[in-house]
Amino acid sequence: MSRTVIDVDTAATLPASQVLFVDCRFDLADPGKGDREYAEGHVPGAVRADLDRDLSDMATPSNGRGRHPLPERAAFEAFLSRIGFRRELQVVAYDAAGGALAAARFWWLARLAGLDNVAVLDGGWQAWLKAGNPVESKVPERAPTSVRACFDAAGTVSAEALAQGLQDKRIVLLDARAGERYRGEVEPLDPVAGHVPGARNRPFAENLKDGCFRAPEELRRQFEKAIGSHPPDTTVHMCGSGVTAAHNLLAMEYAGLCGSRLYAPSWSGWVSDRSRPVATGH
Protein backbone atom coordinates (compact mmCIF):
# COMPACT_ATOMS: atom_id res chain seq x y z
CA MET A 1 0.00 0.00 0.00
CA SER A 2 1.15 3.54 -0.79
CA ARG A 3 0.71 5.88 2.16
CA THR A 4 2.04 9.23 0.95
CA VAL A 5 2.54 9.80 -2.79
CA ILE A 6 1.84 7.41 -5.66
CA ASP A 7 3.00 7.84 -9.25
CA VAL A 8 0.60 7.74 -12.19
CA ASP A 9 1.98 4.56 -13.75
CA THR A 10 1.57 2.60 -10.52
CA ALA A 11 -1.90 3.98 -9.87
CA ALA A 12 -3.06 3.21 -13.41
CA THR A 13 -2.12 -0.47 -13.11
CA LEU A 14 -4.04 -1.09 -9.88
CA PRO A 15 -7.00 -3.46 -10.42
CA ALA A 16 -10.32 -1.66 -10.22
CA SER A 17 -11.41 -3.95 -7.40
CA GLN A 18 -8.45 -2.88 -5.27
CA VAL A 19 -8.41 0.90 -5.68
CA LEU A 20 -10.67 3.83 -4.86
CA PHE A 21 -9.88 7.06 -6.70
CA VAL A 22 -11.11 10.26 -5.07
CA ASP A 23 -11.46 13.34 -7.28
CA CYS A 24 -10.72 16.39 -5.09
CA ARG A 25 -10.46 19.09 -7.74
CA PHE A 26 -11.38 22.49 -6.34
CA ASP A 27 -10.95 26.15 -7.20
CA LEU A 28 -11.01 28.65 -4.34
CA ALA A 29 -12.09 31.40 -6.75
CA ASP A 30 -14.89 29.26 -8.26
CA PRO A 31 -16.11 26.68 -5.70
CA GLY A 32 -18.44 24.96 -8.18
CA LYS A 33 -15.74 24.37 -10.78
CA GLY A 34 -14.57 21.06 -9.33
CA ASP A 35 -18.05 19.53 -9.59
CA ARG A 36 -18.40 20.73 -13.18
CA GLU A 37 -15.00 19.33 -14.16
CA TYR A 38 -15.80 16.01 -12.52
CA ALA A 39 -19.04 15.79 -14.50
CA GLU A 40 -17.13 16.44 -17.71
CA GLY A 41 -14.54 13.75 -17.05
CA HIS A 42 -12.65 11.98 -14.28
CA VAL A 43 -10.48 8.96 -13.57
CA PRO A 44 -12.60 5.86 -14.23
CA GLY A 45 -14.40 4.83 -11.05
CA ALA A 46 -13.44 7.98 -9.19
CA VAL A 47 -15.80 9.34 -6.54
CA ARG A 48 -16.13 13.03 -5.77
CA ALA A 49 -14.85 14.87 -2.67
CA ASP A 50 -15.58 18.58 -2.50
CA LEU A 51 -13.44 20.73 -0.21
CA ASP A 52 -16.33 22.86 1.05
CA ARG A 53 -19.02 20.19 1.11
CA ASP A 54 -17.19 17.03 2.19
CA LEU A 55 -13.82 17.99 3.67
CA SER A 56 -14.85 21.02 5.74
CA ASP A 57 -17.68 22.05 8.04
CA MET A 58 -18.88 25.21 6.32
CA ALA A 59 -22.38 25.08 7.86
CA THR A 60 -21.36 25.69 11.47
CA PRO A 61 -20.13 29.15 12.57
CA SER A 62 -16.34 29.13 12.57
CA ASN A 63 -15.83 30.33 16.15
CA GLY A 64 -12.11 30.64 15.56
CA ARG A 65 -11.82 27.40 13.58
CA GLY A 66 -10.74 29.19 10.41
CA ARG A 67 -12.17 29.59 6.91
CA HIS A 68 -12.21 25.82 6.29
CA PRO A 69 -13.12 24.29 9.68
CA LEU A 70 -12.47 20.59 10.05
CA PRO A 71 -15.55 18.43 9.48
CA GLU A 72 -17.11 16.73 12.47
CA ARG A 73 -16.07 13.11 12.94
CA ALA A 74 -19.58 11.81 12.25
CA ALA A 75 -19.83 13.82 9.04
CA PHE A 76 -16.49 12.52 7.75
CA GLU A 77 -17.49 8.96 8.66
CA ALA A 78 -20.75 9.41 6.75
CA PHE A 79 -18.87 10.74 3.72
CA LEU A 80 -16.42 7.81 3.70
CA SER A 81 -19.31 5.37 4.09
CA ARG A 82 -21.22 7.01 1.23
CA ILE A 83 -18.30 6.70 -1.22
CA GLY A 84 -17.78 3.03 -0.35
CA PHE A 85 -14.47 3.35 1.49
CA ARG A 86 -13.00 0.04 2.65
CA ARG A 87 -9.78 -0.31 4.61
CA GLU A 88 -8.37 -2.97 2.29
CA LEU A 89 -8.53 -0.63 -0.72
CA GLN A 90 -5.68 1.53 -1.94
CA VAL A 91 -7.17 5.01 -1.94
CA VAL A 92 -5.72 7.53 -4.41
CA ALA A 93 -6.71 11.19 -4.07
CA TYR A 94 -6.02 13.70 -6.82
CA ASP A 95 -6.69 17.32 -7.72
CA ALA A 96 -5.47 19.70 -10.41
CA ALA A 97 -2.92 21.50 -8.24
CA GLY A 98 -0.28 18.85 -7.67
CA GLY A 99 -2.14 17.67 -4.59
CA ALA A 100 -1.76 21.08 -3.00
CA LEU A 101 -5.44 21.82 -2.53
CA ALA A 102 -8.08 19.33 -1.50
CA ALA A 103 -6.17 16.11 -2.27
CA ALA A 104 -3.64 16.73 0.48
CA ARG A 105 -6.49 17.85 2.77
CA PHE A 106 -8.32 14.55 2.14
CA TRP A 107 -5.09 12.61 2.71
CA TRP A 108 -4.47 14.40 6.00
CA LEU A 109 -8.04 13.95 7.25
CA ALA A 110 -7.80 10.24 6.48
CA ARG A 111 -4.46 10.04 8.29
CA LEU A 112 -5.96 11.93 11.24
CA ALA A 113 -8.78 9.36 11.29
CA GLY A 114 -6.30 6.47 11.42
CA LEU A 115 -6.70 5.39 7.79
CA ASP A 116 -3.23 4.72 6.39
CA ASN A 117 -3.95 3.29 2.93
CA VAL A 118 -4.37 6.69 1.30
CA ALA A 119 -1.95 8.35 -1.12
CA VAL A 120 -1.94 11.48 -3.28
CA LEU A 121 -1.51 11.05 -7.03
CA ASP A 122 1.78 12.63 -8.06
CA GLY A 123 1.13 15.27 -10.69
CA GLY A 124 -2.62 14.95 -10.21
CA TRP A 125 -5.19 15.20 -12.96
CA GLN A 126 -2.76 16.71 -15.45
CA ALA A 127 -0.30 13.84 -15.04
CA TRP A 128 -3.10 11.31 -15.52
CA LEU A 129 -4.09 12.95 -18.80
CA LYS A 130 -0.50 13.41 -19.97
CA ALA A 131 0.13 9.68 -19.54
CA GLY A 132 -2.76 8.93 -21.88
CA ASN A 133 -4.84 7.14 -19.27
CA PRO A 134 -8.59 6.67 -19.78
CA VAL A 135 -11.22 9.16 -18.63
CA GLU A 136 -14.95 8.72 -18.10
CA SER A 137 -17.89 10.96 -17.23
CA LYS A 138 -20.13 8.28 -15.73
CA VAL A 139 -20.72 8.61 -12.00
CA PRO A 140 -19.83 5.25 -10.44
CA GLU A 141 -22.35 3.29 -8.42
CA ARG A 142 -20.63 2.10 -5.26
CA ALA A 143 -22.19 0.10 -2.47
CA PRO A 144 -22.16 2.14 0.75
CA THR A 145 -20.13 0.85 3.66
CA SER A 146 -20.07 1.51 7.38
CA VAL A 147 -16.90 3.36 8.35
CA ARG A 148 -15.89 4.09 11.92
CA ALA A 149 -13.07 6.55 12.49
CA CYS A 150 -11.84 8.77 15.27
CA PHE A 151 -9.88 11.97 14.72
CA ASP A 152 -6.63 11.84 16.67
CA ALA A 153 -6.36 15.03 18.69
CA ALA A 154 -2.59 14.50 18.90
CA GLY A 155 -2.34 15.35 15.19
CA THR A 156 -3.50 18.92 15.71
CA VAL A 157 -2.39 21.84 17.85
CA SER A 158 -4.58 24.46 19.53
CA ALA A 159 -3.85 28.18 19.35
CA GLU A 160 -2.94 28.20 23.03
CA ALA A 161 -0.54 25.28 22.72
CA LEU A 162 0.94 26.85 19.60
CA ALA A 163 1.62 30.15 21.34
CA GLN A 164 3.13 28.43 24.37
CA GLY A 165 5.26 26.10 22.26
CA LEU A 166 6.67 29.01 20.29
CA GLN A 167 7.39 30.94 23.46
CA ASP A 168 9.18 27.96 24.99
CA LYS A 169 10.93 27.22 21.67
CA ARG A 170 9.68 23.64 21.89
CA ILE A 171 8.14 23.76 18.42
CA VAL A 172 8.93 25.19 15.01
CA LEU A 173 6.04 26.62 13.01
CA LEU A 174 6.10 26.47 9.20
CA ASP A 175 3.75 28.78 7.30
CA ALA A 176 2.87 27.34 3.88
CA ARG A 177 1.57 30.57 2.33
CA ALA A 178 3.37 32.47 -0.41
CA GLY A 179 6.09 34.81 0.80
CA GLU A 180 4.19 38.04 0.12
CA ARG A 181 1.26 36.89 2.27
CA TYR A 182 3.56 35.66 5.03
CA ARG A 183 5.34 39.02 5.06
CA GLY A 184 2.03 40.87 5.15
CA GLU A 185 2.59 42.69 1.88
CA VAL A 186 -0.76 41.46 0.52
CA GLU A 187 -3.73 39.67 2.07
CA PRO A 188 -6.53 38.80 -0.35
CA LEU A 189 -8.62 36.63 1.98
CA ASP A 190 -8.25 37.44 5.67
CA PRO A 191 -8.92 40.70 7.56
CA VAL A 192 -5.37 41.02 8.90
CA ALA A 193 -2.08 40.66 7.02
CA GLY A 194 1.11 39.12 8.39
CA HIS A 195 2.08 35.96 10.22
CA VAL A 196 2.24 34.37 13.65
CA PRO A 197 5.31 35.76 15.44
CA GLY A 198 8.07 33.16 15.31
CA ALA A 199 6.68 31.32 12.28
CA ARG A 200 9.05 30.45 9.44
CA ASN A 201 7.96 30.68 5.83
CA ARG A 202 8.00 27.46 3.76
CA PRO A 203 5.69 27.97 0.74
CA PHE A 204 3.98 24.73 -0.26
CA ALA A 205 4.72 25.47 -3.93
CA GLU A 206 8.37 24.65 -3.23
CA ASN A 207 7.38 20.99 -2.80
CA LEU A 208 6.66 20.75 -6.52
CA LYS A 209 8.66 20.85 -9.71
CA ASP A 210 6.78 20.82 -13.02
CA GLY A 211 3.61 19.93 -11.12
CA CYS A 212 5.05 16.84 -9.41
CA PHE A 213 6.65 16.32 -6.01
CA ARG A 214 10.36 16.84 -5.80
CA ALA A 215 12.39 13.74 -4.99
CA PRO A 216 12.13 12.64 -1.33
CA GLU A 217 15.83 13.25 -0.69
CA GLU A 218 15.57 16.80 -2.06
CA LEU A 219 12.50 17.52 0.06
CA ARG A 220 14.29 16.14 3.09
CA ARG A 221 17.22 18.52 2.60
CA GLN A 222 14.87 21.48 2.19
CA PHE A 223 12.76 20.73 5.25
CA GLU A 224 15.78 19.93 7.41
CA LYS A 225 17.08 23.37 6.52
CA ALA A 226 13.68 24.92 7.32
CA ILE A 227 13.26 23.29 10.73
CA GLY A 228 16.91 23.44 11.77
CA SER A 229 17.68 21.46 14.91
CA HIS A 230 14.02 20.74 15.68
CA PRO A 231 12.94 17.09 15.34
CA PRO A 232 10.15 16.48 12.81
CA ASP A 233 7.64 15.67 15.54
CA THR A 234 8.04 19.15 17.02
CA THR A 235 7.13 20.76 13.68
CA VAL A 236 3.71 22.38 13.23
CA HIS A 237 2.26 23.47 9.89
CA MET A 238 -0.17 26.26 9.07
CA CYS A 239 -1.36 28.28 6.06
CA GLY A 240 -4.38 30.50 5.48
CA SER A 241 -7.20 28.12 6.36
CA GLY A 242 -5.55 24.75 7.04
CA VAL A 243 -5.70 23.36 3.50
CA THR A 244 -2.33 23.90 1.78
CA ALA A 245 -0.54 23.36 5.11
CA ALA A 246 -1.42 19.68 4.67
CA HIS A 247 0.73 19.67 1.53
CA ASN A 248 3.81 20.55 3.59
CA LEU A 249 2.93 17.88 6.12
CA LEU A 250 2.51 15.34 3.31
CA ALA A 251 5.83 16.39 1.75
CA MET A 252 7.63 15.88 5.06
CA GLU A 253 6.11 12.42 5.44
CA TYR A 254 7.06 11.59 1.85
CA ALA A 255 10.61 12.69 2.68
CA GLY A 256 10.74 10.40 5.72
CA LEU A 257 10.41 13.25 8.24
CA CYS A 258 7.47 11.88 10.15
CA GLY A 259 5.26 13.01 12.98
CA SER A 260 4.65 16.71 12.31
CA ARG A 261 1.28 18.28 13.18
CA LEU A 262 -1.09 20.92 11.89
CA TYR A 263 -2.62 24.05 13.39
CA ALA A 264 -5.89 23.54 11.54
CA PRO A 265 -7.50 27.01 11.94
CA SER A 266 -4.28 28.51 10.57
CA TRP A 267 -3.99 32.25 9.89
CA SER A 268 -7.74 32.79 9.48
CA GLY A 269 -8.31 31.24 12.89
CA TRP A 270 -5.39 33.01 14.54
CA VAL A 271 -6.56 36.50 13.54
CA SER A 272 -10.17 35.80 14.55
CA ASP A 273 -8.96 36.83 18.02
CA ARG A 274 -7.62 40.34 17.50
CA SER A 275 -5.75 40.19 20.83
CA ARG A 276 -3.26 37.71 19.37
CA PRO A 277 0.05 39.13 18.21
CA VAL A 278 0.85 39.61 14.53
CA ALA A 279 4.21 40.00 12.83
CA THR A 280 5.07 41.34 9.37
CA GLY A 281 8.17 41.35 7.19
CA HIS A 282 10.82 38.66 7.33
Side-chain angles (χ1 to χ4, degrees), residues 98-115:
L101 272 173
R105 167 76 160 213
F106 175 81
W107 171 87
W108 179 71
L109 285 174
R111 174 68 65 92
L112 199 65
L115 310 175

Side-chain angles (χ1 to χ4, degrees), residues 97-228:
L101 272 173
R105 167 76 160 213
F106 175 81
W107 171 87
W108 179 71
L109 285 174
R111 174 68 65 92
L112 199 65
L115 310 175
D116 290 334
N117 53 330
V118 180
V120 169
L121 184 65
D122 199 13
W125 176 243
Q126 293 91 331
W128 183 268
L129 295 178
K130 185 177 180 180
N133 289 315
V135 172
E136 70 177 18
S137 58
K138 179 179 69 175
V139 177
E141 296 182 5
R142 295 187 59 83
T145 54
S146 180
V147 179
R148 291 292 177 264
C150 184
F151 286 146
D152 182 5
T156 60
V157 178
S158 67
E160 294 72 24
L162 179 68
Q164 190 62 54
L166 287 168
Q167 180 178 323
D168 298 341
K169 302 188 184 302
R170 289 184 290 103
I171 65 171
V172 58
L173 177 62
L174 298 185
D175 189 324
R177 294 175 299 164
E180 58 270 22
R181 288 187 69 195
Y182 166 84
R183 294 188 296 270
E185 296 165 4
V186 298
E187 183 44 67
L189 299 171
D190 294 308
V192 179
H195 59 267
V196 175
R200 305 177 185 183
N201 192 206
R202 180 39 171 81
F204 73 88
E206 294 180 6
N207 299 326
L208 302 172
K209 182 178 181 180
D210 299 326
C212 293
F213 278 88
R214 295 181 183 274
E217 55 272 17
E218 184 177 0
L219 289 170
R220 187 181 185 95
R221 287 194 300 270
Q222 292 181 356
F223 277 103
E224 285 179 336
K225 181 179 180 181
I227 66 177

Side-chain angles (χ1 to χ4, degrees), residues 22-27 30-35 47-56 58 79 82 102 105:
V22 182
D23 187 311
C24 302
R25 283 177 286 175
F26 190 83
D27 189 329
D30 182 0
K33 185 178 180 181
D35 285 341
V47 296
R48 179 83 181 114
D50 181 80
L51 175 61
D52 284 352
R53 184 176 59 244
D54 304 311
L55 307 180
S56 306
M58 305 299 283
F79 165 68
R82 189 168 64 250
R105 167 76 160 213

Side-chain angles (χ1 to χ4, degrees), residues 1-7 10-11 14-20 85-92 107 111 115-120 254:
M1 290 286 187
S2 296
R3 292 180 169 85
T4 52
V5 176
I6 186 170
D7 66 86
T10 300
L14 292 170
S17 61
Q18 297 176 20
V19 62
L20 174 61
F85 174 90
R86 301 198 311 271
R87 291 178 182 269
E88 67 269 21
L89 296 175
Q90 170 68 68
V91 182
V92 179
W107 171 87
R111 174 68 65 92
L115 310 175
D116 290 334
N117 53 330
V118 180
V120 169
Y254 183 46

